[in-house]
Amino acid sequence: MNQASHTRIRGIKRIDLAYVELASSEDARDINRDIVLEIIRSKQPVARADLARASGLQPSTISSIVEQLIEEKWVSEGEVVRRPRGRRPTLLSFNDQLVILVADVRPNQAIVALVDLNGKFLARETVPLGSQPERAVKKIIQSMRSIRDLHEGRSFEGIGISMPGRVDPETQRLLLAPNLKWSDYDVKAAVEEEMRLPVELANAANASLLSELWSGRLDGIRDAVLVTVSEGVGAAILANGQIVTGRSGMAGEFGHSPIDPRGPSCGCGQRGCWEVFASSSAALRTYAELSTGDTRLDMRQLLQLVEQGDANAIAAVERQAAYLGQGLRLITASLAPEVILITGDITTSWARFGPIVRKEMERTMLAGTPPRLETTSDGELARLRGAAAVVLQRHSGYYRSAKGSSKAR
Ligand SMILES: [Zn+2]
């Protein structure tokens, strides 16, 4: 397989050629396996002969890789194609009996779900959480257990958890989560101990970006930034075709860049960070300042007030939108992406607030063409799908290049 065809593989398996050159024959086998898995994912149902054509690998290599993938339950054989003459090939697909338990953890609640290999949701439930980490994790485990009991016949590959903070990819410990007071609690160990399945933690923004890559939506795009707007503001970076996580997974914290050193204090300990002006919490704070009476709302309720024409609610979210757009300069000036994807509650009223964000972003561009500004289709599902994608990647070898210690089991 030549180098050019490596880079054409769509989605998340962007293979770093620097590592390919150093690879042993064992690594090369693993890379071929990842390529075959990726082609099956994007072209399924697909025959072995078509896999050989699409990958450039020998039919005998394809056969042995496919046998391995079937044995490991990643792939299953389905219908037999009827052709006028010659052999009748059996089509291969992702095995949808293989499932992943996922959770999207937020400061007040978690969504726990079951996803199959094709990204289809088989169960989903919301679990309210308190601030005490042990108790919160116990509730998540309870929910996962009951979902697992209802789907006993399936083959559980692992657990993926999207966290509203930065997770060290090496240690899987939460390094920074100012809106979730769970520091020093080993979530991975607690869940693994109870569920007896390998657990992968991921930053919510990175999980969402992975989900966009997995869906093929960013095919052909090498520079993109995904911005999550919820209790805080987080970002995930695709630069030169690679997801950038930086040292200890800490890259992308634009939300904690100060835009007004005398601004309100932030959960990170500094003042006037972008997120204290551009997050959902900022809109809720503005609304409380403008209004009298009971102002204890969540962002969904605030956006409902917007739809009902409440002037204070509209003013509060317009202000958030303007700050969101201005702060995007941190991203346009440092990374010059082709696309900025916004995900989060504000996108449910994007027709109203998107133009404000776009106008401010374009007004503050240094030079050149502004990036395309788009939203993800469903932020909640994206985090959950992304959490599943993290499990699939880890187990299929995506992190192999980053230290060799990748296989979770
Ligand atoms: Zn901050």
Side-chain angles (χ1 to χ4, degrees):
M1 175 145 203
N2 64 32
Q3 295 194 339
S5 56
H6 275 305
T7 53
R8 270 204 306 275
I9 302 296
R10 82 168 194 174
I12 45 191
K13 303 252 163 39
R14 289 161 202 268
I15 290 162
D16 188 332
L17 296 173
Y19 286 102
V20 173
E21 280 172 338
L22 296 171
S24 65
S25 61
E26 198 172 299
D27 288 332
R29 234 186 358 254
D30 285 343
I31 290 164
N32 288 342
R33 178 181 176 282
D34 289 351
I35 290 168
V36 170
L37 202 54
E38 175 61 14
I39 298 171
I40 294 173
R41 186 186 71 76
S42 59
K43 292 193 190 296
Q44 61 182 323
V46 60
R48 285 174 176 77
D50 296 324
L51 280 178
R53 262 193 295 279
S55 65
L57 294 167
Q58 292 298 324
S60 58
T61 310
I62 292 287
S63 283
S64 77
I65 291 172
V66 166
E67 289 326 304
Q68 188 195 351
L69 291 172
I70 290 173
E71 200 183 300
E72 291 170 358
K73 296 192 178 156
W74 287 88
V75 167
S76 60
E77 291 185 291
E79 54 182 304
V80 177
V81 189
R82 298 189 176 279
R83 285 188 181 158
R85 52 180 165 270
R87 288 167 61 183
R88 293 177 168 182
T90 312
L91 295 183
L92 301 163
S93 299
F94 266 11
N95 174 14
D96 58 14
Q97 289 301 306
L98 196 87
V99 290
I100 300 136
L101 279 163
V102 289
D104 170 20
V105 175
R106 311 214 178 192
N108 302 314
Q109 65 169 48
I111 298 160
V112 178
L114 187 66
V115 193
D116 74 15
L117 262 195
N118 288 310
K120 190 172 146 216
F121 286 89
L122 306 170
R124 186 150 58 120
E125 67 179 37
T126 303
V127 182
L129 302 179
S131 57
Q132 213 277 329
E134 277 101 324
R135 227 171 295 156
V137 169
K138 220 165 244 163
K139 283 176 139 181
I140 293 170
I141 290 167
Q142 265 168 15
S143 167
M144 286 180 170
R145 275 218 182 102
S146 66
I147 290 176
R148 183 165 66 178
D149 291 348
L150 286 172
H151 295 84
E152 261 181 357
R154 305 264 180 168
S155 178
F156 287 77
E157 176 66 17
I159 297 174
I161 304 180
S162 157
M163 299 294 291
R166 295 291 162 182
V167 179
D168 187 324
E170 289 283 309
T171 64
Q172 288 279 292
R173 294 293 288 259
L174 205 52
L175 280 183
L176 172 87
N179 298 307
L180 184 80
K181 311 275 182 283
W182 287 15
S183 49
D184 294 333
Y185 186 66
D186 192 345
V187 178
K188 178 184 162 78
V191 179
E192 278 182 346
E193 163 93 36
E194 291 292 326
M195 297 298 295
R196 304 275 158 200
L197 282 170
V199 172
E200 308 293 342
L201 301 187
N203 166 260
N206 286 334
S208 305
L209 178 59
L210 216 45
S211 168
E212 296 297 314
L213 289 167
W214 188 250
S215 73
R217 183 167 171 200
L218 293 173
D219 283 1
I221 290 174
R222 293 179 56 77
D223 297 282
V225 175
L226 180 141
V227 180
T228 56
V229 185
S230 57
E231 289 81 4
V233 174
I237 303 163
L238 183 78
N240 294 333
Q242 302 280 336
I243 291 184
V244 177
T245 51
R247 192 176 179 189
S248 306
M250 285 295 295
E253 285 299 333
F254 297 102
H256 293 289
S257 299
I259 60 170
D260 177 2
R262 278 165 302 194
S265 57
C266 177
C268 72
Q270 303 290 312
R271 288 189 160 277
C273 294
W274 181 30
E275 83 167 32
V276 299
F277 297 102
S279 62
S280 300
S281 317
L284 292 167
R285 194 182 62 238
T286 310
Y287 178 73
E289 283 163 14
L290 296 172
S291 312
T292 50
D294 188 6
T295 54
R296 283 171 303 171
L297 301 176
D298 64 25
M299 192 61 189
R300 264 164 214 229
Q301 292 166 317
L302 185 68
L303 289 165
Q304 274 161 16
L305 288 178
V306 165
E307 294 310 316
Q308 290 158 19
D310 182 300
N312 289 343
I314 293 170
V317 185
E318 279 180 353
R319 185 162 181 227
Q320 177 200 2
Y323 275 118
L324 186 58
Q326 285 165 30
L328 290 179
R329 183 178 191 174
L330 296 165
I331 292 168
T332 58
S334 57
L335 293 162
E338 294 164 61
V339 182
I340 293 179
L341 288 168
I342 307 281
T343 179
D345 291 322
I346 193 171
T347 62
T348 59
S349 298
W350 199 244
R352 187 189 283 268
F353 301 113
I356 300 173
V357 179
R358 179 175 287 109
K359 189 177 139 217
E360 289 300 321
M361 176 187 80
E362 290 178 355
R363 189 178 65 78
T364 54
M365 282 292 292
L366 277 171
T369 314
R372 277 182 4 234
L373 184 67
E374 296 175 5
T375 62
T376 61
S377 48
D378 184 325
E380 194 174 275
L381 294 186
R383 287 186 189 202
L384 292 167
R385 278 211 183 92
V390 173
V391 173
L392 298 180
Q393 281 196 324
R394 289 263 172 143
H395 299 189
S396 74
Y398 174 73
Y399 284 94
R400 188 178 297 117
S401 57
K403 288 257 148 78
S405 65
S406 50
K407 293 243 165 158
R409 290 182 288 187

